[in-house]
Amino acid sequence: MNTTKSEQLFTKAQTMIPGGVNSPVRAFKAVGRHPFFVERAQGPWIIDVDGNKYVDYVCSWGPGILGHAHPKVVEAVQQVSAKGLTFGAPTAGEVELAELICACVPDVEMVRLVSSGTEAVMSAVRVARGFTGREKIIKFAGNYHGHSDGLLVKAGSGLMTQSVPDSAGVPEGYAASTLTAVYNDEESVRRLMEENSGQVAAIVVEPVAANMGVVPPKKGFLEFLRRITKEQGALLIFDEVITGFRLALGGASEYTGVHADLYTFGKIVGGGMPLAAYGGRRDIMSCVAPLGAVYQAGTLSGNPVAVTAGITTLKILMEDTGIYERLDRRAAKLEEAFREKGLIVNRVGSLLSAFFMPDRKETVSNRQTADSDWKIFETDGVKKVEIERYVENYEDACRCDREAFADYFNRMLERGIYVAPSQFEAMFVSDAHSDELIDRTCSAIRESVE
Ligand SMILES: *Cc1c(COP(=O)(O)O)cnc(C)c1O
């Protein structure tokens, strides 16, 4: 694989850009190599500056549900760009996108457009505090909600990859009002709610966690969060920046049937442009300025070009009634290939993670895993329990073998398949991944997992 131009660019980039990249996980540190620099991307393909071509399962970390450079999205963006790039004044497109979001997610009665997922969650938390008059929030270890100060506590994603549990530069005071619970562990939530009775503004959660690898909620977990927040006068915030418009048009709330008070969206909703959103109950969203007392603003919020990319993407998803079933079927094939190789796979729709556990078929006898798939078997006359799906929280995910993952990543890349350069990111399946490419990927998986 020729990487001359990428290497040159990376060397130069490092002299001016911290680590040579504008977002840490792009640096490929966890897989022991240097990043490739992208020249262009089309459909399922991403092509680097040295002309290497990969099947892309990163999909820009989530937005690319239709594949790269969908002709309809590109055309719409080109047309609207010619009319001006930003006005700082309202446009019809913003109304249309709001309408589409509200139609897809009926719990969203009012919505605000912002420019990044970070901003969306930060703002939703501020609104929750403003509405309830309370200061504390509960988040889960391994859930990532962007890089705002108050939410960089036990966050997953890039922080996990780099083994940085918390960021330097976050004042202790911020972290103090962020309480951390264990994903899928009701008791940990109950305890925090009791100890901080009357002080918790909101529980913020990834309804299907996808930033410590994919970790689905156990049966009843989201329902429990709904119940306890209601009982205690706190709000429930679903961070659907990844899951929104991916698991279903209505995101995780449609997929799971559990309804939150506030939602955040990003990634897909911007159709590949910098756009995100937060919204929810009308009475709560009425707190947002200029209607209410919670301030939130943005020079480029609701940018007309980004809005157009979002509208076009959502419309394609709405008109294509078979897309989610197709994505699910293709992702299931990948799941099967990983399972054949003995990996632990968590998959929810088109989001999946194969975990490289240290002893692939770990046997555990006393774990609390009521909802997991159990298998009882006997070796040398000793009865043991084998648990197939046991990555249920941050601690579980942290046990995986990062070196084995790095080897797999590099072998896949050599075979022209680009998966996320970290064990703790999801594999994203897009509609551009044809059955043929999926089969090719399955073969690569069989060859690449030792
Ligand atoms: C990506 C992500 C964010 C942050 O979005 P940015 O656009 O990167 O700021 C927030 N929450 C979740 C669940 C995400 O996956």
Side-chain angles (χ1 to χ4, degrees), residues 355-358 360 397-406 423:
F355 291 94
F356 287 70
M357 297 324 259
R360 297 291 163 68
C398 284
R399 291 212 322 278
C400 61
D401 180 346
R402 297 169 198 212
E403 271 176 36
F405 177 87
Q423 169 73 87

Side-chain angles (χ1 to χ4, degrees), residues 252-327:
S253 61
E254 180 184 331
Y255 196 90
T256 65
V258 183
H259 302 278
D261 301 301
L262 288 173
Y263 293 85
T264 58
F265 304 101
K267 300 189 171 126
I268 291 175
V269 78
M273 302 282 297
L275 185 146
Y278 68 98
R281 268 168 47 191
R282 184 176 302 278
D283 57 332
I284 302 171
M285 288 301 287
S286 298
C287 290
V288 179
L291 195 53
V294 176
Y295 192 73
Q296 180 271 310
T299 302
L300 293 176
S301 291
N303 172 269
V305 185
V307 159
T308 300
I311 291 171
T312 314
T313 301
L314 294 196
K315 277 188 174 166
I316 293 170
L317 293 174
M318 288 168 99
E319 282 160 15
D320 186 343
T321 49
I323 188 168
Y324 292 104
E325 183 272 329
R326 227 159 37 236
L327 291 171

Side-chain angles (χ1 to χ4, degrees), residues 116-119 121 144-147 206 211 239 241-242 267:
S116 71
T118 296
E119 243 188 293
V121 190
Y144 180 66
H145 302 295
H147 65 87
E206 287 185 66
N211 282 293
D239 180 352
V241 170
I242 281 188
K267 300 189 171 126

Side-chain angles (χ1 to χ4, degrees), residues 27 51 96 149 172 187 227 231 242 270 273 278 338 352 396 399 406 444-445:
E96 188 177 359
D149 283 339
E172 256 173 51
E187 195 43 46
R227 211 164 46 241
E231 281 166 14
I242 281 188
M273 302 282 297
Y278 68 98
F338 284 119
L352 75 154
D396 289 343
R399 291 212 322 278
I445 290 168

Side-chain angles (χ1 to χ4, degrees), residues 317-347:
L317 293 174
M318 288 168 99
E319 282 160 15
D320 186 343
T321 49
I323 188 168
Y324 292 104
E325 183 272 329
R326 227 159 37 236
L327 291 171
D328 187 79
R329 186 166 46 75
R330 289 172 184 166
K333 277 192 178 178
L334 299 175
E335 174 182 359
E336 197 46 46
F338 284 119
R339 280 191 191 280
E340 275 173 33
K341 299 300 286 186
L343 299 189
I344 305 289
V345 186
N346 281 345
R347 181 177 75 85

Side-chain angles (χ1 to χ4, degrees), residues 17-40:
I17 303 171
V21 290
N22 283 309
S23 196
V25 78
R26 295 181 195 169
F28 279 26
K29 261 190 161 170
V31 290
R33 66 189 296 147
H34 293 160
F36 58 78
F37 279 62
V38 178
E39 205 261 320
R40 67 201 155 90

